[in-house]
Amino acid sequence: MLNFVYPEELYLFVESIRCFQVRDVGNSKWLEVHEMIIKLSQQAALEVAEHREEEVKEFLISRDKLSVLIHEAYCVNLWKSRVLPHLLEIDPNPQATFLIYTALYHEAAAVALLDLCLYHPSGCESLQDSVLDLIDYCAQSVAQVIGLVSMGYHENETKIDVDEAVLTELERQKRDLLYKIGLRCVSLLNYVADNVSLFHLSAGRRLLVTHDIPWLMVDVLCFRPWQRKTSKGLEQFIDEKWTAVEDAAKITKIEAQAWFCVRQLLLNPQLMENYTLNESRCKQLSKLLGMLHETLLDQLPVLIELKQFVSRLTLSGNTANKQQNLILEDMPQIQEQLLKQVESDGGFYQIAQSQDGIFLNNNKEEICALATRLSSAYGTETLCELEQHLADLELQKPQEVKPEQGAAGDGVDAELKTSHKCGTCQEPAKKKCANCKHVHYCSRECQLKDWPTHKNACQAN
């Protein structure tokens, strides 16, 4: 069986993950842990793709490592925004940039592991106080994606702020990773919103008051960062890459996560007690009404309740006369602790000078040795083998019979449609869930009744 991390290695890898400071990014010990995080991320994705038991997820949760992953994402984020610019001032054209990219990719790998683990309520429950840091991190990342989209960054043929003469290759790599991380953070915010009852009241307040996540998600749904138009047609961001699509009406996983996040927050009575619906918020939320069309509701019928809520809100108008309750809030700790350590280390510029020999190294032999080591860590040969394996599995699937294949094809297609049973009442069903395409229903009423049971499996697809 193909593996990136074998069972006998798994415990050691998970136990070895630990928190680093900004000054440690790029050193030998940091690289050792980076290799382990990369392999764990690849193994976790493989387990999900092949529907195996999710051992990586279980180990990370049971060993309380999710807060460490949040710490690592924050650490590299600080390094990227505050140390890297100083390094590029020292040498604007470094000879080898792959180690810099390795540091940037470390953040993306940590977020990918969080995405896989927090899909499960047990993962959210294990966050404890670090959920506040996660909310801050995700809100910032999603806002950055909106900023990139507003500049036309995702439109690959635009010349707005992405001209090759303006941006270096390293800058494009940095922004590509920023884009992918931000889209993953949409899912993370949905998981937190869906399990907000597991956290302290400060988490709900941070979602609604500090960062106004409903407002942020409305912007995400308006800007649609998962979709772009090119000379070749429409493309959607699916499975970490841009893919040409024919059906623009079919929603992507990221879009569904954004809608679910808005729904979980606005339809939660306890959370809404602290959310003042003033005039500006009502105007922002009313934008949802135009997007909640019939095609969307057919795919996500659970949003019918959200449409009713927004419709009532539009009619009732400003309800900003709520009395605010006094709440003693917990405060996020991870970023503050990182900044304190940076200050004690002499500041970001001092750290950049101390890392000059690591990231701006011109020794060709050392560069080649490090490149070989990292290539082995990323498991490129294993990835190629896995890609071929998944392609073979896809070819083994039975082909769907199309109506235009003639009279016999029509008969087979009709038989397929009528042989399925409704997932709710077990009557013959001709329609199926538009998102996962696994469960059939005879009517929208049956689909709505089954949604509480079907939701988790549907979102996974």
Side-chain angles (χ1 to χ4, degrees), residues 49-324:
E50 296 194 343
H51 305 287
R52 300 189 201 170
E53 184 179 352
E54 296 180 48
E55 294 182 352
V56 173
K57 179 262 296 182
E58 292 296 339
F59 268 99
L60 288 170
I61 292 174
S62 64
R63 306 309 300 172
D64 197 22
K65 294 296 182 178
L66 299 193
S67 59
V68 177
L69 294 175
I70 296 172
H71 181 282
E72 285 301 282
Y74 251 122
C75 180
V76 175
N77 187 271
L78 276 176
W79 180 89
K80 172 179 67 180
S81 59
R82 306 293 291 277
V83 177
L84 181 57
H86 290 308
L87 285 169
L88 296 179
E89 285 176 5
I90 297 171
D91 184 357
N93 296 298
Q95 185 172 343
T97 60
F98 66 88
L99 184 56
I100 296 176
Y101 180 79
T102 296
L104 299 176
Y105 190 70
H106 186 80
E107 180 184 5
V111 173
L113 276 173
L114 285 169
D115 188 11
L116 291 169
C117 293
L118 296 182
Y119 171 76
H120 305 272
S122 58
C124 290
E125 192 172 9
S126 71
L127 289 176
Q128 300 178 8
D129 291 341
S130 63
V131 68
L132 302 178
D133 296 276
L134 179 64
I135 292 170
D136 287 359
Y137 175 85
C138 290
Q140 175 187 330
S141 298
V142 173
Q144 288 174 331
V145 167
I146 293 172
L148 288 175
V149 175
S150 68
M151 294 189 299
Y153 180 75
H154 70 314
E155 301 286 355
N156 66 340
E157 295 181 351
T158 184
K159 294 301 178 184
I160 304 176
D161 199 32
V162 290
D163 197 299
E164 288 189 3
V166 178
L167 291 181
T168 64
E169 179 65 24
L170 182 61
E171 184 66 18
R172 283 195 297 274
Q173 290 174 342
K174 186 170 78 170
R175 293 197 178 189
D176 284 343
L177 285 173
L178 182 68
Y179 201 83
K180 292 178 180 180
I181 289 170
L183 292 181
R184 279 195 182 273
C185 284
V186 173
S187 297
L188 294 180
L189 286 172
N190 174 49
Y191 300 148
V192 172
D194 195 25
N195 296 283
V196 71
S197 60
L198 300 175
F199 309 122
H200 188 270
L201 292 175
S202 299
R205 187 171 179 82
R206 208 152 193 86
L207 285 168
L208 290 175
V209 180
T210 306
H211 297 293
D212 202 344
I213 298 301
W215 184 298
L216 187 65
M217 286 300 164
V218 173
D219 281 341
V220 169
L221 290 165
C222 288
F223 279 103
R224 301 178 65 78
W226 49 80
Q227 185 170 297
R228 70 181 184 185
K229 292 181 180 178
T230 69
S231 58
K232 298 179 181 179
L234 187 69
E235 292 183 345
Q236 291 182 340
F237 197 76
I238 302 172
D239 295 333
E240 297 283 296
K241 60 182 181 292
W242 290 103
T243 306
V245 295
E246 296 180 359
D247 186 6
K250 183 179 178 181
I251 64 171
T252 65
K253 176 184 174 182
I254 304 167
E255 182 180 2
Q257 298 283 15
W259 278 113
F260 290 142
C261 184
V262 174
R263 180 188 179 277
Q264 300 295 351
L265 294 174
L266 294 183
L267 299 187
N268 187 320
Q270 293 181 334
L271 288 180
M272 291 300 288
E273 288 179 1
N274 298 305
Y275 191 63
T276 303
L277 290 167
N278 52 35
E279 184 177 350
S280 59
R281 280 174 173 167
C282 289
K283 185 177 180 180
Q284 176 76 349
L285 293 175
S286 66
K287 295 177 183 178
L288 295 173
L289 210 53
M291 294 183 278
L292 287 163
H293 46 74
E294 197 67 25
T295 305
L296 175 67
L297 297 178
D298 283 341
Q299 297 178 75
L300 298 175
V302 72
L303 296 182
I304 292 174
E305 297 174 73
L306 178 62
K307 184 174 184 179
Q308 293 170 347
F309 173 87
V310 178
S311 299
R312 288 195 298 269
L313 182 64
T314 306
L315 293 174
S316 61
N318 190 342
T319 59
N321 56 349
K322 287 185 179 180
Q323 182 179 357
Q324 293 295 312

Side-chain angles (χ1 to χ4, degrees), residues 30-61:
W30 182 91
L31 280 172
E32 288 176 5
V33 174
H34 169 74
E35 292 176 28
M36 294 179 184
I37 288 179
I38 292 298
K39 290 183 178 180
L40 287 172
S41 177
Q42 293 170 338
Q43 181 66 21
L46 177 62
E47 290 172 352
V48 171
E50 296 194 343
H51 305 287
R52 300 189 201 170
E53 184 179 352
E54 296 180 48
E55 294 182 352
V56 173
K57 179 262 296 182
E58 292 296 339
F59 268 99
L60 288 170
I61 292 174

Side-chain angles (χ1 to χ4, degrees), residues 438-457:
H438 292 323
V439 182
H440 289 73
Y441 298 98
C442 62
S443 65
R444 178 181 288 184
E445 289 74 20
C446 282
Q447 188 176 11
L448 283 171
K449 288 179 183 177
D450 190 49
W451 178 249
T453 304
H454 178 56
K455 179 176 70 170
N456 288 337

